[in-house]
Amino acid sequence: MMQTIQIQPLTPDAFKPFGDVLDIAGEPTVIINQGLCQRFSDLATLDCVGDDAKTGISLFNSDKRTLPYQLDMMERHPLGSQAFLPMTENAFLVIVAPDDGGKPSIPQAFLTQPGQGVNYHRNIWHGVLTPLSEPGLFAVIDRIGPGNNLEEFWFDMPYLIGPSRVTAIPL
Amino acid sequence: MMQTIQIQPLTPDAFKPFGDVLDIAGEPTVIINQGLCQRFSDLATLDCVGDDAKTGISLFNSDKRTLPYQLDMMERHPLGSQAFLPMTENAFLVIVAPDDGGKPSIPQAFLTQPGQGVNYHRNIWHGVLTPLSEPGLFAVIDRIGPGNNLEEFWFDMPYLIGPSRVTAIPL
């Protein structure tokens, strides 16, 4: 029997152990462009290990997922942070977990608001990119460089994320 | 009499002297997430001058503009590149100019396709952020650090960008 994880709204406080929420809540850092543009500066803690590595901009184009979502695997990046910024106004699903001796503990699931991105801190367990709409187009700011920057953990028993599966009552 | 600059479609070739087009045209670098996600890696030449500076993620929230757009000023950043990735599926206006002895030469104007961002290379003259729809929400990847990283040039005679203004014929 799979355990169901309820989806929470994404807030900076709830997400703090895992990374940064990237949005325009709060006061702008500065107003620019003759008063016509708000700038919210330096929202993410970027982390990139290794003299031969750099931070780069990539684009991800992902198939959408549906709820309830079966979480079979989580991953983490030991050498760098990874930020996801949606290039649409659609919400997406964010799944993270505390570490428990080298494997993910019970996952936590968040639903973004339109206009929110996230930055996973280095070595934080997270699910793969899970848009809930198409196109699943994201700008990704992460480490570009050599070395093994991917660790995966497959669950013996997957989790179910989101609304419980409705069980049809046999007639 | 203001000179009108016609808007061109944004293509990597046309934009090459000024920066990078950030989109998912072409072949993905790698397929990830069990076949469900295309990754297009390291699309931008990021440039960040100074040991006390770093590349960061910011968000810009800009008022929209309308066409024809009056271009009074261009700016450039001598210490770093600046990438703009729309967090909507709306096209936006991109204005750049070659340098001519320390001031912008004749501007060129481009309209993005939905799903396209741009990265202005360091010290390239460009217009301020000009979305044509609301919300004018963008992720911006640029230099965070001390020093004067902004140079502005105000035109004696502004340019008009886009469709020519229709002149009403007096009755």
Side-chain angles (χ1 to χ4, degrees), chain A residues 33 36 38-43 46 54-55 57-63 65 83 86-88 115 128 142, chain B residues 33 36 38-43 46 54-55 57-63 65 83 86-88 115 128 142:
Chain A
N33 301 352
L36 297 178
Q38 301 174 309
R39 179 178 173 125
F40 302 79
S41 285
D42 199 17
L43 300 173
L46 301 185
K54 62 174 185 177
T55 296
I57 302 176
S58 302
L59 263 58
F60 281 23
N61 187 33
S62 172
D63 286 13
R65 305 305 202 283
M87 293 178 70
T88 70
V128 299
D142 69 357
Chain B
N33 301 352
L36 296 178
Q38 301 173 309
R39 179 179 173 124
F40 301 78
S41 286
D42 199 18
L43 300 172
L46 301 185
K54 62 175 185 177
T55 295
I57 302 176
S58 301
L59 263 58
F60 281 22
N61 187 32
S62 172
D63 285 12
R65 305 303 203 282
M87 293 179 70
T88 71
V128 301
D142 69 357

Side-chain angles (χ1 to χ4, degrees), chain B residues 29 67-68 70 127 141 145-147 155 158:
Chain B
T29 311
L67 297 178
Q70 183 174 315
I141 291 84
F155 295 109

Side-chain angles (χ1 to χ4, degrees), chain A residues 16-126:
Chain A
K16 192 170 185 179
F18 310 107
D20 312 298
V21 175
L22 312 177
D23 66 16
I24 58 169
E27 289 299 306
T29 312
V30 61
I31 307 289
I32 57 175
N33 301 352
Q34 289 72 54
L36 297 178
C37 187
Q38 301 174 309
R39 179 178 173 125
F40 302 79
S41 285
D42 199 17
L43 300 173
T45 299
L46 301 185
D47 201 348
C48 176
V49 174
D51 288 342
D52 51 356
K54 62 174 185 177
T55 296
I57 302 176
S58 302
L59 263 58
F60 281 23
N61 187 33
S62 172
D63 286 13
K64 74 168 182 179
R65 305 305 202 283
T66 50
L67 298 177
Y69 169 70
Q70 182 172 316
L71 180 71
D72 301 304
M73 187 270 284
M74 298 188 82
E75 62 182 37
R76 61 179 178 178
H77 306 297
L79 302 179
S81 57
Q82 190 174 43
F84 290 87
L85 293 144
M87 293 178 70
T88 70
E89 293 176 65
N90 300 318
F92 64 103
L93 189 60
V94 172
I95 305 169
V96 287
D99 182 65
D100 179 15
K103 61 185 182 58
S105 181
I106 309 285
Q108 296 181 33
F110 299 94
L111 187 67
T112 64
Q113 298 277 341
Q116 284 185 325
V118 294
N119 179 51
Y120 299 122
H121 288 167
R122 182 164 68 86
N123 224 22
I124 291 294
W125 290 109
H126 60 274

Side-chain angles (χ1 to χ4, degrees), chain B residues 146-170:
Chain B
N148 183 10
N149 191 23
L150 175 63
E151 186 180 354
E152 292 185 349
F153 184 89
W154 290 79
F155 295 109
D156 289 333
M157 173 67 79
Y159 291 90
L160 209 55
I161 308 291
S164 302
R165 205 186 291 273
V166 175
T167 307
I169 298 167

Side-chain angles (χ1 to χ4, degrees), chain B residues 3 5 19:
Chain B
Q3 184 178 342
I5 306 290

